[in-house]
Amino acid sequence: MSYGKILKIYVMGNDPRSLKSVELVNWTGQAFIGRRDHLSLVRQRNELSEPGVYLLLGETSEDGGAIDIYIGESDSFSDRLSNHVQTKDFWTQFVVFVSKDKNLTKAHVKYLERELYLLSKKSIGILTVKNSVEPSGASLPESDIAAMSEFLENMIF
């Protein structure tokens, strides 16, 4: 028997374009979806000063409508986003994934960053990857690879 999934979306404000928190019920991960102008809201969220993996997304690329994407990881997304607002001008939106139980480590997010990068590189014509360097990833124990593979599946969902 196949079951559906339940997403809980919280819009942080009265405008549907406000910063959003997205949770998949019974998963320890949490996504935040926002725009470039949400930097002050991002700084107010304690969850976003934890390790996370993120995507910066541009509207369209000059090469036929592919979406520009940059994949990154950070110990503190709010600090990293401040830098990206100043140094990367192609993006208009972001998605960041963190752990609700503070169980993602630097090695976990480096592993996830590389896996997302490799998936993105396979989507020729749909995504234009803006990373100038291929992420190195991280060496994880077998049990952590299994856990991060499941985390990645939920991220993709």
Side-chain angles (χ1 to χ4, degrees):
M1 176 182 244
S2 177
Y3 295 99
K5 296 184 184 255
I6 299 170
L7 288 175
K8 182 172 125 184
I9 302 171
Y10 174 61
V11 179
M12 299 173 197
N14 295 325
D15 183 339
R17 294 169 294 187
S18 294
L19 182 65
K20 296 169 194 66
S21 166
V22 181
E23 297 180 38
L24 180 61
V25 173
N26 293 325
W27 180 45
T28 61
Q30 183 174 17
F32 287 85
I33 301 170
R35 297 189 327 246
R36 189 179 192 93
D37 61 345
H38 290 150
L39 180 58
S40 62
L41 295 171
V42 166
R43 287 185 178 143
Q44 296 172 22
R45 305 298 307 185
N46 291 334
E47 308 96 311
L48 298 179
S49 62
E50 299 293 329
V53 61
Y54 62 90
L55 311 171
L56 301 179
L57 304 162
E59 293 294 320
T60 57
S61 183
E62 302 94 33
D63 60 354
I67 296 171
D68 290 334
I69 185 170
Y70 176 87
I71 300 108
E73 59 77 23
S74 179
D75 285 331
S76 171
F77 176 69
S78 58
D79 292 343
R80 184 64 54 91
L81 189 64
S82 296
N83 177 268
H84 286 325
V85 164
Q86 296 174 17
T87 62
K88 295 186 182 339
D89 62 356
F90 74 90
W91 66 277
T92 56
Q93 298 178 28
F94 67 82
V95 180
V96 59
F97 293 90
V98 295
S99 174
K100 291 187 286 189
D101 63 3
K102 300 181 187 238
N103 218 9
L104 283 179
T105 66
K106 180 72 167 181
H108 291 144
V109 295
K110 287 180 80 59
Y111 178 87
L112 291 168
E113 175 193 33
R114 178 167 173 76
E115 294 301 307
L116 284 171
Y117 174 86
L118 294 174
L119 284 171
S120 297
K121 290 299 273 188
K122 291 179 184 176
S123 65
I124 298 169
I126 299 170
L127 300 173
T128 301
V129 179
K130 302 295 274 185
N131 296 58
S132 57
V133 177
E134 183 173 320
S136 61
S139 179
L140 296 176
E142 183 179 1
S143 59
D144 283 2
I145 290 172
M148 290 303 100
S149 294
E150 185 175 356
F151 200 93
L152 180 62
E153 284 178 23
N154 287 328
M155 289 170 57
I156 293 167
F157 176 79

